[in-house]
């Protein structure tokens, strides 16, 4: 019984909320390489613990609050590139996305340094990574905290693409 | 525990419940027209049903007394035809009881009909003022509507109402289900995302009241209050005129530095101040921020100390709210607070 109760504690971290964040010590990275090809065998990337469930949902809220939707749509892209595929122009690791947010990129991506706090940039980056399924499934909520009229991305089945046979062929 | 101790404890418990009776948030205040109707109706029901209880108690007491005094009365007299004395008494009592029920129910029916009609007539009268209240996690956005778009203005966490004038309040929600409840003025109504509700309010007495969210809406649900001020129509018009004015330019150099930070950095991304370049629509409008009675939806009184605490670390002051902690240095903090205090 005790063991059962103790195993239940393992779920505690999922809903942990760090309201204050760690914005004072961390600084948005200035010289983050934008490719995954590190010279002379760079450090192995560790998953970022900041990509927790609370931060992803906050990032989701900020993503529409600050009108990322206006250019990137809900991940599909329009004026800006799509965020839900596997192509990352400036790198897809969380610190690379934060660097992109903080510094801005050519052809329209504005710099958010000084407008968003660093905690907010980390939260948006965590959400952006979740759009392409790059976060643990238990960290990503199947629904947003706000009401949405689109199908939750995590509920979509990944169906293999196969040719559709017309009914008349039978 | 001895008897005296228990009595003292009971008195303490009663006194504790009485502390909620200071009047700014009370259902029994009768400070709104609809509240008065229902409080009157409630008093009528309590009076009539109380009368019934007294009648039943009297009847039982008299019957018991008779049985105790003259037990032989209960037997019918074998020498006389027809009902005995006791049965005649019972019949009279039943007749009286029936009459009492008829009269009592008629009084209650007429009373509730009149209260209902009064409320309906007040609700059917055309509204002189329309207000839209939008609930956010965890604050209230209040927009005063006007036929002329130039006169529409927006404020937050404060609601001013003119005394005696019917006001239609449209209720909306931006995120989750909230509930608007101004106990002194009117009933309670939910604010549901994607829908709009209507509530009619007619304030009867001048005063300062407190409305709050009455539906659990997240971690800071308890700190989601709305300061309600009921004032005379003349004072109300003066207030609306002053709220429509854009924010004055800061005079001191410290406040000017604060304005500079506000416009160029994080603040203006979420807050708007009319008359400046700050146009954010995520957080509360701060055009006349320092003129409000409280900070952060009734969480703290509007004092300089609380303002410093709030700007420096909103996540310790109201954990989980949407305002992030900014990495402000002392000079920036002083300047921002000085600027916010000019927004009267």
């Amino acid at each position: 019984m005790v063991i059962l109760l103790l195993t239940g504690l393992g779920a505690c971290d999922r809903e942990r909320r760090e309201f204050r964040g760690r914005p004072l010590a961390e600084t948005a990275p200035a010289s983050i390489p934008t490719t995954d090809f590190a010279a002379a065998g760079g450090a192995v990337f560790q998953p970022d613990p900041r990509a927790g469930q609370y931060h992803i949902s906050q990032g989701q809220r900020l993503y529409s609050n600050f009108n990322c939707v206006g250019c990137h749509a809900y991940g599909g892209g329009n004026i800006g590139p799509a965020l839900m595929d596997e192509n990352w122009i400036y790198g897809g690791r969380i610190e690379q996305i934060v660097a992109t947010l903080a510094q801005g990129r050519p052809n329209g991506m504005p710099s958010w340094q000084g407008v968003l706090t660093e905690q907010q940039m980390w939260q948006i980056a965590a959400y952006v990574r979740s759009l392409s399924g790059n976060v643990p499934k238990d960290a990503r909520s199947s629904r947003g905290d706000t009401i949405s009229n689109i199908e939750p991305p995590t509920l979509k089945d990944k169906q293999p693409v196969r040719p559709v046979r017309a009914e008349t062929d039978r | 525990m001895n008897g005296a101790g228990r009595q003292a404890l009971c008195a303490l418990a009663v006194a504790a419940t009485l502390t909620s009776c200071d009047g700014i948030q009370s259902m029994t205040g009768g400070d709104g027209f609809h509240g008065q109707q229902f409080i009157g109706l409630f008093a009528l029901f309590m009076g009539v049903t109380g009368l019934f209880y007294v009648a039943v108690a009297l009847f039982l007491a008299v019957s018991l007394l008779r049985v105790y005094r003259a037990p032989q009365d209960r037997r019918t007299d074998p020498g006389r035809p027809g009902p005995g004395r006791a049965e005649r008494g019972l019949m009279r009592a039943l007749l009286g009881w029936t009459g009492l029920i008829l009269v009592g129910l008629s009084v209650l029916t007429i009373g509730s009909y009149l209260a209902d009609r009064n409320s309906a007539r007040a609700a059917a009268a055309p509204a002189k003022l329309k207000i839209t209240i939008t609930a956010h996690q965890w604050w209230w956005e209040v927009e005063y509507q006007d036929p002329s778009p130039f006169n529409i203005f927006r404020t937050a966490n404060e609601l001013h109402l003119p005394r005696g004038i019917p006001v239609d309040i449209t209720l909306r929600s931006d995120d989750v289900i909230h509930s608007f409840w101004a106990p002194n003025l009117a009933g309670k109504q939910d604010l549901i995302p994607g829908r709009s509700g209507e509530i009619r309010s007619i304030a009867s007495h001048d005063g300062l009241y407190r409305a709050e969210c009455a539906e659990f809406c997240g971690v800071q649900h308890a700190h989601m209050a709305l300061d309600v001020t009921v004032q005379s129509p003349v004072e109300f018009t003066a207030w609306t005129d002053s709220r429509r004015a854009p924010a004055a330019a800061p005079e001191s150099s410290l406040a000017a530095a604060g304005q500079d930070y506000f416009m160029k950095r994080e603040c203006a991304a979420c807050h708007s101040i009319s008359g400046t370049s700050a146009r954010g629509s995520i957080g509360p409008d701060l055009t006349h921020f320092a003129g409000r009675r409280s900070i952060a939806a009734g969480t703290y009184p509007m004092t300089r100390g609380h303002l410093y605490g709030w700007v420096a670390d909103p996540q310790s002051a109201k954990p989980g709210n949407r305002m992030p902690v900014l990495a402000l240095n002392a000079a920036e903090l002083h300047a921002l607070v000085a600027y916010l205090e000019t927004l009267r």
Side-chain angles (χ1 to χ4, degrees):
Chain A
M1 191 66 190
V2 172
I3 294 169
L4 204 67
L5 285 173
L6 285 177
T7 51
L9 289 176
C12 287
D13 262 2
R14 183 177 176 271
E15 288 282 346
R16 189 177 59 185
R17 298 180 173 196
E18 290 166 8
F19 295 137
R20 301 193 73 250
R22 281 171 275 171
L24 303 179
E26 74 198 11
T27 50
S31 58
I32 291 290
T34 53
T35 74
D36 284 340
F37 302 110
V44 180
F45 174 65
Q46 297 291 323
D48 196 288
R50 280 170 288 212
Q53 187 264 343
Y54 173 70
H55 298 295
I56 294 173
S57 68
Q58 290 298 296
Q60 183 172 22
R61 183 178 62 81
L62 295 167
Y63 185 85
S64 50
N65 276 174
F66 286 98
N67 203 23
C68 308
V69 176
C71 292
H72 297 282
Y74 289 95
N78 182 15
I79 297 168
L83 302 174
M84 59 202 296
D85 56 16
E86 75 281 17
N87 299 324
W88 299 98
I89 303 173
Y90 300 104
R93 302 203 312 259
I94 191 163
E95 64 269 33
Q96 291 171 327
I97 298 172
V98 171
T100 298
L101 281 165
Q103 297 162 2
R105 296 293 178 220
N107 295 329
M109 175 74 189
S111 160
W112 294 92
Q113 182 77 53
V115 176
L116 290 172
T117 66
E118 279 154 21
Q119 188 194 14
Q120 288 175 325
M121 286 192 268
W122 283 99
Q123 288 172 337
I124 292 177
Y127 173 66
V128 166
R129 275 173 60 77
S130 79
L131 284 173
S132 51
N134 274 313
V135 297
K137 202 165 183 181
D138 62 344
R140 171 77 199 266
S141 170
S142 62
R143 61 174 180 83
D145 280 355
T146 50
I147 286 186
S148 158
N149 58 359
I150 58 165
E151 194 184 351
T154 46
L155 289 186
K156 284 182 182 146
D157 286 329
K158 292 189 180 70
Q159 296 286 346
V161 179
R162 59 168 81 99
V164 181
R165 186 182 295 164
E167 293 282 320
T168 49
D169 284 359
R170 283 186 202 162
Chain B
M1 189 185 288
N2 60 14
R6 205 171 298 148
Q7 272 177 357
L9 202 71
C10 280
L12 207 69
V14 170
T17 58
L18 285 178
T19 54
S20 59
C21 296
D22 60 350
I24 63 160
Q25 191 174 346
S26 160
M27 283 194 300
T28 54
D31 300 304
F33 178 80
H34 291 91
Q36 282 170 343
Q37 298 297 315
F38 285 107
I39 288 164
L41 197 60
F42 182 71
L44 185 71
F45 267 70
M46 287 306 280
V48 171
T49 50
L51 209 66
F52 278 34
Y53 274 107
V54 170
V56 170
L58 274 178
F59 174 74
L60 288 177
V62 168
S63 310
L64 279 174
L65 214 65
R66 278 191 174 173
V67 170
Y68 177 71
R69 283 253 174 98
Q72 71 276 13
D73 278 0
R74 291 168 69 200
R75 298 193 300 268
T76 49
D77 189 356
R80 284 178 58 185
R85 208 177 134 202
E87 278 186 44
R88 282 201 302 276
L90 190 67
M91 219 123 132
R92 272 203 301 276
L94 280 176
L95 270 177
W97 182 237
T98 312
L100 207 61
I101 288 178
L102 278 177
V103 172
L105 280 184
S106 305
V107 168
L108 292 186
T109 309
I110 292 169
S112 32
Y113 176 77
L114 288 179
D116 178 61
R117 286 298 91 196
N118 278 343
S119 299
R121 208 176 314 122
K128 299 249 176 60
L129 177 66
K130 284 181 195 284
I131 301 174
T132 304
I133 293 183
T134 309
H136 301 261
Q137 280 175 325
W138 291 272
W139 58 280
W140 304 92
E141 180 185 333
V142 182
E143 193 175 71
Y144 282 78
Q145 306 294 350
D146 197 277
S148 161
F150 295 107
N151 289 335
I152 295 175
F153 68 95
R154 191 175 289 182
T155 178
N157 300 327
E158 61 170 350
L159 177 66
H160 284 238
L161 296 173
R163 172 178 18 100
I165 288 179
V167 180
D168 266 352
I169 303 176
T170 305
L171 301 170
R172 295 219 173 92
S173 169
D174 188 44
D175 32 45
V176 299
I177 299 176
H178 301 268
S179 189
F180 173 77
W181 189 34
N184 293 66
L185 301 181
K188 190 189 285 183
Q189 189 154 332
D190 280 4
L191 301 92
I192 299 169
R195 299 190 190 185
S196 66
E198 289 274 340
I199 196 164
R200 166 62 62 95
S201 183
I202 307 172
S204 313
H205 302 141
D206 289 4
L208 304 176
Y209 308 112
R210 185 176 185 271
E212 65 171 15
C213 180
E215 175 72 48
F216 180 72
C217 58
V219 284
Q220 286 299 341
H221 162 66
H223 291 141
M224 185 169 166
L226 181 63
D227 293 321
V228 183
T229 306
V230 177
Q231 50 201 169
S232 70
V234 176
E235 287 171 331
F236 175 77
T237 311
W239 179 81
T240 51
D241 287 346
S242 71
R243 295 305 100 165
R244 284 189 191 110
E251 286 168 7
S252 73
S253 60
L254 187 66
Q259 187 187 32
D260 194 50
Y261 185 95
F262 194 102
M263 300 307 154
K264 288 184 178 153
R265 296 293 300 275
E266 294 91 345
C267 317
C270 294
H271 295 287
S272 58
I273 295 177
S274 72
T276 71
S277 63
R279 285 192 290 272
S281 57
I282 298 164
D285 184 288
L286 299 181
T287 308
H288 298 286
F289 173 65
R292 293 176 195 155
R293 275 157 55 197
S294 60
I295 304 173
T299 310
Y300 294 103
M302 180 67 73
T303 64
R304 177 175 286 181
H306 285 114
L307 200 51
Y308 266 100
W310 176 255
V311 176
D313 190 353
Q315 290 301 328
S316 292
K318 189 173 174 179
N321 86 83
R322 302 302 196 210
M323 182 155 151
V325 181
L326 306 177
L328 296 171
N329 62 36
E332 291 165 340
L333 180 62
H334 284 307
L336 267 181
V337 171
Y339 175 56
L340 288 175
E341 283 187 328
T342 66
L343 300 172
R344 297 213 155 267

